[in-house]
Amino acid sequence: MALQTSRIFSLLFVIAVAIVLLILSWGYLSTSISWTAFSENNRHQDEDSLLKSYIELWVKKGNSTHPPAVFTTTHKAKIADSTKTNQVTKLKTDQMRASTHGAVAETPIPVLLKKSFKKLPQWDFEDVYNQDAPPRQTTCAQSLRNSEDESFKKAFLPNIRLFLHKNNFNMSEWNRLSHFNNPFGFMEYQYNDMMSSLKMIPKPKEPLLLPKPGNGGCVRCAVVGTGGILNGSKMGKEIDAHDYVFRMNGAAIKGYEEDVGNRTSVYVHTAHSITMSLYLFKKYGYTSAPHDEGIKYVMIPEGVGDFNWLEGLLKGERVSAGPYHNKRPWTYYGGQYNESRFYVLHQDFLRYVRNRFLKSAHLNNSYWAIVRPTNGAFALFLALHTCDTVSAYGFMTEDYKKYSNYYVEKNIKTHVVFYANHDYILEMNLWKKLHNSKIMRLYQRTDSETGTEKPKQL
C-alpha cells in the first residue's frame, strides 16, 4: 500500500513539473523572436542562420536564460495605410503589452549582420515610420501638397518625421532601427558605441523653414545640384529669386554665380561630403562649404563616422575615433555652425524616401547594403516636405550625356560617373515624372550649347 501511494505521489510530481515547464515554454514562445518579420522570399534561407546567430550571441553575453522580450520588436506588424494611423505607435503599444506578461527589462538586441542577408531584408514593419502630428498647415494654393496625382498622394507622408534628436530616441527605437542598414538604421552597430553621440543631438528649436511675408503663405524653394547642365545656363538670378535655396556636397559658388546663384539657405551634407569636397573641388576655387549668415545645416547620418563627427561637433572637440579622427568639425562650417540651426535627418525619413520613391532593383543584389539614394535626392525630398513649390536645378536629365559631370568643369568635357551605390537612372526618371506631374519643376535645357528654357515666372 505504501509503495502504491509513493508511486501516485511520484506521478503527480512528474505531472506538476510538466505543467510548470509547459507554462514556462508558453511564456517564452509568447515573448521571443517572431520570425514573421521575414518576407517569404527570405524566410527559409535566412531564418535558421539568423536564429542560430541570435542564440550564440546571447549565450556569449553570459546569459543562461532565454533571450529577452525585446525581440518582440520583430513581431508581425499589420501594415495599414500609414497616412491614416501612426503604426509606430501601435508597434510600441504591442511591445508594452508584451512587457506586462512576464517580460524582462528591455535591452539592446544582438547585432544583426549584413552578411546574413543575400539581399535587402523585408521586415513586416519595413514600411512603418514615425510621423509628427499635425503636418505643417499651408494656405498656398500652388502647394505640392494639393497635388491630385494619385500615386504621389498615396506615397507621400506630409508629416513624416524629418529629424533625429535625443528626445525622440529610446531603447525601443534603437531595437527597431537596428533591423535596417545604414544610413536607414543601426544594423551592425553596437548600442554602447553609438549612444554617446545619439544622446547629444539637440531637438530643433524651430522648423527648418518658415513662410516669408507677402507670398500668399507659399514657401518657394530652389534645390541646386552640382550637375554640368548648369554650366553656361545663366540660371543664377532665377535661383536666387526663391525664398530659400538648398545646396549639397561640393557647392562651389564663387566664380559660378551667373549660373548657380550666390545664396544658400540650407546645406545638406555628410561628414564625407563636407570634408572630401575640399580636396575634390579645390582646383575649381572651392574653399569651404556655404556659410551664409543664418544658414541651416542638415546632416545625413550616413555611417558610424558621421556619429563620431557629430559627437566632436557637439562637444566642440576633435573627433576621437573613426575615419575623421583628430579633425575639428566646427572649422568646416565657415564660422556659421550653430547648434540651434543644425539638424540631423531621421533614419525613418531616409528609409521612406528609398522605399516609397527610389527602391532600386540593385537592392536585390549581393551588394544591396551599399545601395542608397544620392545626397541630392535626400535634399530634394527634404525640400518637398518643407516647401510648397520646388524647382530643381543641376539634377540629371535625359540628355545628361551632353554635359560634364559637374558645372565647375568649364573647360573640359567629362562623362557622368555612375557609382555602384546609387541608381542614377532611377533618380533621373523620378525627377522627370515629378516634373511631368507638376509636383516640382525640373530645370531642363533646350539647347546644349547656348540656349536654355525660358525662365518661368516665380
Side-chain angles (χ1 to χ4, degrees), residues 209 212 220-222 224 236-247 251 253 257 260-267 290-293 295 458:
L209 306 176
K212 295 287 182 74
R220 306 174 305 171
C221 300
V224 186
K237 288 184 178 179
E238 181 176 310
I239 289 170
D240 285 342
H242 291 78
D243 297 329
Y244 299 99
V245 180
F246 288 66
R247 300 183 195 269
I253 293 175
E257 294 92 342
V260 305
N262 61 14
R263 294 179 52 229
T264 308
S265 314
V266 179
Y267 178 68
H291 48 273
D292 301 43
E293 185 177 355
I295 189 173
L458 295 176

Side-chain angles (χ1 to χ4, degrees), residues 83-336:
T83 62
K84 297 178 181 177
T85 57
N86 188 339
Q87 290 299 313
V88 170
T89 301
K90 179 182 182 300
L91 182 61
K92 291 178 179 177
T93 300
D94 289 349
Q95 292 172 3
M96 289 175 65
R97 287 173 179 167
S99 69
T100 63
H101 297 286
V104 297
E106 196 171 19
T107 56
I109 65 171
V111 176
L112 287 171
L113 302 176
K114 297 172 187 175
K115 67 181 181 180
S116 298
F117 307 95
K118 296 179 180 179
K119 60 181 180 179
L120 177 72
Q122 293 294 303
W123 311 101
D124 280 347
F125 49 92
E126 176 72 34
D127 199 41
V128 178
Y129 312 98
N130 277 294
Q131 296 181 54
D132 293 321
R136 180 178 67 85
Q137 300 300 310
T138 181
T139 58
C140 178
Q142 298 81 38
S143 178
L144 62 94
R145 294 170 184 246
N146 299 329
S147 172
E148 294 301 319
D149 184 279
E150 289 301 324
S151 61
F152 180 74
K153 286 168 62 177
K154 184 177 181 180
F156 188 75
L157 297 179
N159 57 331
I160 182 75
R161 179 164 292 169
L162 297 176
F163 304 117
L164 175 70
H165 56 82
K166 59 186 177 182
N167 292 14
N168 63 20
F169 198 84
N170 54 31
M171 184 66 75
S172 294
E173 280 295 272
W174 170 267
N175 287 327
R176 181 178 68 87
L177 291 171
S178 291
H179 292 79
F180 309 111
N181 63 298
N182 60 288
F184 314 102
F186 299 109
M187 183 181 285
E188 292 198 337
Y189 296 164
Q190 295 283 350
Y191 176 81
N192 291 332
D193 293 341
M194 305 298 294
M195 287 311 295
S196 57
S197 53
L198 285 167
K199 288 179 178 178
M200 293 184 65
I201 301 173
K203 181 179 180 180
K205 292 180 171 57
E206 63 179 52
L208 185 68
L209 306 176
L210 293 170
K212 295 287 182 74
N215 287 341
C218 295
V219 178
R220 306 174 305 171
C221 300
V223 184
V224 186
T226 57
I229 191 174
L230 285 176
N231 187 352
S233 67
K234 296 181 171 57
M235 285 289 105
K237 288 184 178 179
E238 181 176 310
I239 289 170
D240 285 342
H242 291 78
D243 297 329
Y244 299 99
V245 180
F246 288 66
R247 300 183 195 269
M248 74 293 302
N249 300 340
I253 293 175
K254 188 175 182 180
Y256 308 93
E257 294 92 342
E258 186 179 30
D259 293 336
V260 305
N262 61 14
R263 294 179 52 229
T264 308
S265 314
V266 179
Y267 178 68
V268 181
H269 66 292
T270 61
H272 176 77
S273 69
I274 201 171
T275 54
M276 287 304 297
S277 291
L278 287 172
Y279 298 100
L280 295 175
F281 299 106
K282 183 178 181 179
K283 62 182 177 181
Y284 300 109
Y286 181 89
T287 57
S288 72
H291 48 273
D292 301 43
E293 185 177 355
I295 189 173
K296 294 185 176 180
Y297 293 106
V298 178
M299 189 168 190
I300 302 169
E302 183 177 36
V304 66
D306 295 84
F307 288 97
N308 297 147
W309 179 273
L310 274 171
E311 187 169 352
L313 182 64
L314 294 169
K315 286 182 176 179
E317 300 175 354
R318 291 178 182 267
V319 178
S320 60
Y324 310 106
H325 179 254
N326 215 34
K327 288 189 180 296
R328 298 176 297 165
W330 63 93
T331 64
Y332 286 79
Y333 299 91
Q336 284 299 316

Side-chain angles (χ1 to χ4, degrees), residues 345-391:
L345 288 178
H346 197 286
Q347 287 82 1
D348 273 12
F349 173 73
L350 303 177
R351 198 174 79 258
Y352 151 79
V353 171
R354 180 196 67 186
N355 288 352
R356 296 203 170 192
F357 297 95
L358 290 168
K359 198 159 192 178
S360 172
H362 300 324
L363 293 166
N364 293 319
N365 294 329
S366 58
Y367 58 91
W368 65 270
I370 68 169
V371 178
R372 70 168 183 85
T374 61
N375 290 355
F378 287 135
L380 187 47
F381 271 96
L382 178 61
L384 290 170
H385 284 78
T386 54
C387 309
D388 291 299
T389 66
V390 175
S391 297

Side-chain angles (χ1 to χ4, degrees), residues 392-405:
Y393 302 84
F395 283 76
M396 185 177 285
T397 54
E398 292 173 330
D399 59 346
Y400 68 90
K401 292 182 180 180
K402 295 180 180 179
Y403 315 111
S404 290
N405 200 20

